[in-house]
Amino acid sequence: MTNDKKLNIAIIGGATSGWMAAAWLKKIHPNTNITVVESPQVPKIGVGESVTVHVTEFLRVLELDEDDVMFATGAVYKYGNDFINWVHGKGENELFTFSFNKNKQHLHSSPYSGAVWDSSLEVTENDTRLTDYWLDLKQQGIINKTFDKSFNGLMDFCHKSNPRAPFIDNTPYLPPTDLIYAYHINAEKFGDYIRDKSALPNGVNHILGHVSQVVKSDAQSIEKVVLDTGEEIYADFFLDCTGFHRVLMKEFSDNIKWQEYPHCPANRSMVCQVEYNDPKTEMVNATKSIAMNKGWVFDIDVYNRRGTGYVYSNEFVSDDEVYDEFTKKIITGKAKFEPKIIAWDKKSMKNPGFGNVCAIGMTVGFVEPMEANMLGVILNTVWTFTNLLSASEDKKTIDWDTYNELVGHTFSDVADFISVHYTLTQRTDTEFWHEMQSWGRKYNHKELLLDKYNDYKNTINGAAQGLSFFPDYMWIQLADAWGIDISQWPNKPITNDERELAKLHFDYVSNHMKIVSKQFPSYYEFLKEHRFQGLTPNEWHDKMYG
């Protein structure tokens, strides 16, 4: 340990993970010395990144101006994730928006105007939730529409033919405190932006150099890292933000235990950046997740291009077969580079923190890209480390048992939710989807949906504590959309008056949003005029890339 009075934290690895960790830690612990060591030899992987509202909250706490973030990084708004062809493979879709649960008090207040983030955090395991009322109406036959068309009305902002912005001029008529939108960000630029606009201005140190040696002080701690420049970096804590390279953690490979995810099929993705043919008609405000013959494709719009990738398992399909389907059906514009393959092991560390070493984000592990979990996992691990550092009396020791447990909850929840997308399909058109159905039976995934929906860990409050990643409403929405029989799901007792009130609530929200969405501006035109200074995507690209 260093003898300096101030705590010293060395973050090995820059890019998105390292700079987000540095910026957050410096914001919460401003008197800590934080150093980011970034290797000029490691290339960045940039495709286009769909993110969750974890990032919305991250930017809010860092007090970064949204307009500036979006212009500098090519970011656009995202209302949710549109799952296409997952149930029958015949063009059906279900839009998962950010629809966080509220309790009975919200039902008794004025519809929708009372929607604030704090009311989601107040939901307890004993509360009757809005989704419980929705389930009751569904079981009674009073609601006969799917969840996305009957729960919160945001579907009306996401029509493919005319998507809508979340603002009129620059006035947020939708409740901004309810975290109703996230972003599609440019992965090439976001980390640099956080570095230049938050981390460095607030005093984070930046060292360019490649780690040539890790010197351990004992079996679980690091004394220093030595760079190829000869510089030696000492710190009280070392955070490994090097992703799959695991520059620090591989030095402790004999001590690390792994959790594998056999119920998740994918282990690679073929990715490509694609130019728009016509951004005005192609750019949409939701991530597209499109089920294919033997896997699925993500299609993510940023302002100047699309980022897309075919996610699959080489145990079920060859790279050549994927290339053929990917290039013929998905890459409809000019590819900015030849599709490339990113492979991974579907596993995570059971003990990502020990001694004075901590794995962050994808260094801990990776399941797959579905449901935009990558940056959310980075932030969950950063927030957990930060909170435990705050709770430490001497600021020199971390409760690693709690860190490892909470990070384990995050990865387990991610893996479970991803897997049920595959295994509860009704598709029978390929051998791959037949096999996925057999996995669903093997792992009792229908029962898993109900268990997760009723688990306190999957309330927003539980998620905020790091006990889960995907909140309760998403589990019941998937059950409904994938055609699972929820008519016999147990529910809390609901009176006739409450049932009538719930019907009025959902009818009002649906009708209100259907009408009011027409008053909001075109998504593309709003972005161009109010977020990108009147520049077209090509003009912005030329300005930012030269």
Side-chain angles (χ1 to χ4, degrees), residues 266-270 294 310-314 317 319 322 341:
N267 62 6
R268 56 184 53 205
S269 179
M270 185 174 290
K294 296 182 180 180
Y310 195 128
V311 182
Y312 63 103
S313 168
N314 61 352
V317 62
D319 296 341
V322 168
I341 294 173

Side-chain angles (χ1 to χ4, degrees), residues 335-509:
K336 297 177 76 67
F337 53 74
E338 183 68 12
K340 57 187 179 183
I341 294 173
I342 300 171
W344 60 86
D345 296 321
K346 47 190 181 181
K347 62 182 184 180
S348 67
M349 296 176 186
K350 292 182 179 180
N351 55 333
F354 48 80
N356 69 346
V357 189
C358 180
I360 296 293
M362 290 173 63
T363 307
V364 179
F366 189 58
V367 181
E368 68 148 90
M370 190 187 294
E371 290 286 4
N373 69 86
M374 285 184 282
L375 265 68
V377 166
I378 290 171
L379 286 172
N380 262 21
T381 53
V382 171
W383 290 340
T384 301
F385 175 82
T386 305
N387 292 341
L388 291 171
L389 181 63
S390 299
S392 172
E393 292 184 3
D394 61 5
K395 298 296 184 287
K396 299 286 186 178
T397 56
I398 294 288
D399 179 359
W400 291 123
D401 288 342
T402 298
Y403 181 82
N404 295 336
E405 179 184 2
L406 292 176
V407 172
H409 283 315
T410 292
F411 275 88
S412 175
D413 203 54
V414 168
D416 286 344
F417 194 59
I418 284 173
S419 65
V420 295
H421 288 73
Y422 291 98
T423 64
L424 295 179
T425 182
Q426 298 181 39
R427 290 185 63 158
T428 58
D429 53 314
T430 69
E431 182 180 344
F432 171 75
W433 292 111
H434 269 295
E435 180 66 16
M436 291 300 98
Q437 288 186 26
S438 73
W439 286 21
R441 294 188 292 271
K442 175 182 177 181
Y443 294 110
N444 298 315
H445 276 172
K446 288 183 181 180
E447 292 80 2
L448 177 66
L449 288 180
L450 178 58
D451 291 344
K452 290 283 190 174
Y453 174 64
N454 286 318
D455 192 337
Y456 168 74
K457 292 195 294 291
N458 289 90
T459 63
I460 292 297
N461 200 302
Q465 296 175 53
L467 299 174
S468 64
F469 192 86
F470 293 107
D472 45 14
Y473 80 90
M474 299 186 76
W475 296 90
I476 191 172
Q477 179 172 5
L478 188 139
D480 178 58
W482 265 237
I484 305 303
D485 183 9
I486 59 176
S487 64
Q488 301 304 312
W489 274 23
N491 203 355
K492 296 182 175 70
I494 292 172
T495 67
N496 288 332
D497 284 347
E498 288 177 336
R499 182 174 295 123
E500 183 63 26
L501 192 59
K503 181 179 183 300
L504 290 171
H505 169 86
F506 290 116
D507 285 346
Y508 172 83
V509 169

